[in-house]
Amino acid sequence: MTGPLRAGFIGGGFMAAVHTRASRAARGHPAALASSTPERGAQAARDLGVERSEPDAHSLTTAGDLDIVHVCSPNRLHTEHTLAALAAGAHVICEKPLATTAADAEHLVRAAREADRVAAVPFVYRYHPMARQARAFVAEGELGTVLTLDAAYLQDWLLDPDDTNWRADPEAGGASRAFADIGSHLCDLVEFVSGQRIHRLTARTRTVFGRRADTEVTNEDTAALLVELGNGALGTLLVSQLAPGRKNSLTLELHGTRQSARFEQERPEELWIGRREGSHLLLRDPATAAPDSARMSVLPPGHALGYQDAFTAFVTDVYSAVQGGRPEGMPTFADGLRAARLTEAVLASAAQHGAWIETAPETSPETEDRT
């Protein structure tokens, strides 16, 4: 495949803006966009600098001139839109959650495999250079054996009962909200950086406001988990969309037998390293970083990289994979399926008043996707 990839986008909101910027920065060509109505699609295409609008998702996926489709529609439509894009021969980036049920997520993994298409989910926090550096430290034994971890993803955008969003409607967003939306990111980063799967978990969830505007809310505002990794390490995870002052506070701290490491998404240029005899901040520097971290460092030290840069790095990797590359650590539909299974385990545990649920990964050729 030569020349810029022609990209289509289903959705016209915040995430579509992030995706179109990343596509352009990754040297793709934003060619078409469809939103919930023809009018909204036309306006979003103009606002985001996309070549044309299509009246609906069906028209976009059947247009025949797109190499890749970015699915940024509401959660309940992910399966429908992704299957249509794959059937049309396009590669796909689908926003998380990949699907609102693990069964649908598994269906999408198989469909992508059968179509032999690149299929990716934007777990983009693994694209911060210092998250990759933490991962390298774990893999190289710099931390020693990981014993415990402390992780959280906190936001405040649904703090008040008058705050609402389509995600609060279980028909549109799914049975899980806070965990499926941001807890999935947190678990992906835990497993990616630690190199260990979550093998067991116990969870409690809480829906603080049973109604938002005209919507009856049954999906959760907060979730708290205790997890056990494959090597026996224990960890605590807190997820909330009702934490005053926390805008996008994703943190991961790993405690090993030699030293600790802490990554904070809102301070992405640094990694805290803790030792018994003294601690320090390690600042991003590609000259001294692990190779995979240096690969993400597209700017010199002191020139801050942030969320949009991480998203661009993810899209760049996906576009590379479409053109035959095999980028290290690219999150695929298999990772989206893993997140869907963990989400269902959290809901099952909470429904059983915190019962321990086994979450050891199940892998087979039928449920792996093309990377």
Side-chain angles (χ1 to χ4, degrees):
M1 186 177 295
T2 60
L5 298 183
R6 292 182 61 81
F9 305 85
I10 302 177
F14 167 74
M15 289 314 306
V18 173
H19 279 252
T20 54
R21 286 194 295 266
S23 176
R24 195 173 287 109
R27 299 183 180 180
H29 177 72
L33 183 147
S35 191
S36 55
T37 68
E39 295 76 19
R40 290 181 179 178
Q43 185 62 55
R46 288 192 294 271
D47 292 344
L48 301 178
V50 179
E51 182 180 286
R52 72 174 191 273
S53 65
E54 292 285 353
D56 52 37
H58 175 75
S59 297
L60 184 142
T61 55
T62 58
D65 67 333
L66 301 176
D67 301 306
I68 188 164
V69 172
H70 296 238
V71 177
C72 311
S73 50
N75 301 348
R76 67 180 176 85
L77 298 173
H78 286 182
T79 298
E80 173 189 338
H81 291 161
T82 298
L83 288 174
L86 290 171
H91 305 275
V92 179
I93 293 173
C94 180
E95 263 300 331
K96 49 85 210 152
L98 177 58
T100 56
T101 68
D104 281 349
E106 187 166 351
H107 184 191
L108 293 180
V109 170
R110 287 175 170 156
R113 180 179 176 82
E114 291 168 2
D116 193 28
R117 300 290 86 182
V118 171
V121 177
F123 287 126
V124 297
Y125 297 118
R126 54 166 82 178
Y127 278 85
H128 283 295
M130 298 312 283
R132 295 272 174 145
Q133 186 64 50
R135 181 181 187 234
F137 281 158
V138 173
E140 294 164 2
E142 292 294 320
L143 271 61
T145 301
V146 174
L147 302 175
T148 59
L149 66 94
D150 178 29
Y153 200 156
L154 308 176
Q155 299 176 334
D156 69 358
W157 65 290
L158 289 172
L159 176 62
D160 297 327
D162 293 335
D163 295 329
T164 192
N165 181 270
W166 59 262
R167 292 173 179 82
D169 180 357
E171 291 297 319
S176 173
R177 176 172 28 95
F179 188 83
D181 185 23
I182 59 177
S184 57
H185 272 301
L186 190 61
C187 287
D188 179 77
L189 197 64
V190 166
E191 295 192 335
F192 183 72
V193 172
S194 72
Q196 298 285 328
R197 293 289 198 176
I198 296 170
H199 275 220
R200 303 172 69 217
L201 64 81
T202 173
R204 297 300 297 267
T205 63
R206 184 182 179 194
T207 302
V208 178
F209 301 116
R211 179 167 291 277
R212 293 179 180 273
D214 296 327
T215 301
E216 182 178 354
V217 179
T218 57
N219 48 29
E220 77 285 347
D221 293 308
T222 66
L225 287 68
L226 178 64
V227 302
E228 182 178 334
L229 305 188
N231 70 341
L234 296 178
T236 58
L237 280 66
L238 179 63
V239 176
S240 176
Q241 294 175 324
L242 281 70
R246 294 301 186 185
K247 305 305 178 185
N248 200 47
S249 179
L250 182 154
T251 60
L252 171 61
E253 184 168 310
L254 301 171
H255 313 121
T257 52
R258 296 180 60 194
Q259 56 186 14
S260 300
R262 178 180 179 87
F263 171 74
E264 300 184 24
Q265 195 277 149
E266 291 182 334
R267 302 173 66 93
E269 290 286 282
E270 61 190 46
L271 192 67
W272 177 81
I273 303 298
R275 300 189 183 97
R276 186 173 184 179
E277 63 279 6
S279 304
H280 71 277
L281 287 179
L282 178 67
L283 301 181
R284 181 181 64 84
D285 186 348
T288 57
D292 199 34
S293 174
R295 182 172 74 89
M296 303 298 157
S297 292
V298 295
L299 294 176
H303 299 73
L305 295 171
Y307 172 78
Q308 185 68 58
D309 299 291
F311 215 105
T312 294
F314 159 72
V315 172
T316 299
D317 266 7
V318 177
Y319 286 11
S320 170
V322 169
Q323 294 172 320
R326 296 188 65 85
E328 168 65 24
M330 187 186 82
T332 68
F333 274 19
D335 298 300
L337 171 58
R338 173 65 177 164
R341 287 174 172 163
L342 288 173
T343 298
E344 292 193 349
V346 167
L347 295 182
S349 177
Q352 299 174 55
H353 306 288
W356 281 95
I357 304 294
E358 299 293 326
T359 58
E362 300 173 7
T363 60
S364 68
E366 290 74 23
T367 59
E368 293 174 356
D369 61 314
R370 180 179 184 269
T371 59

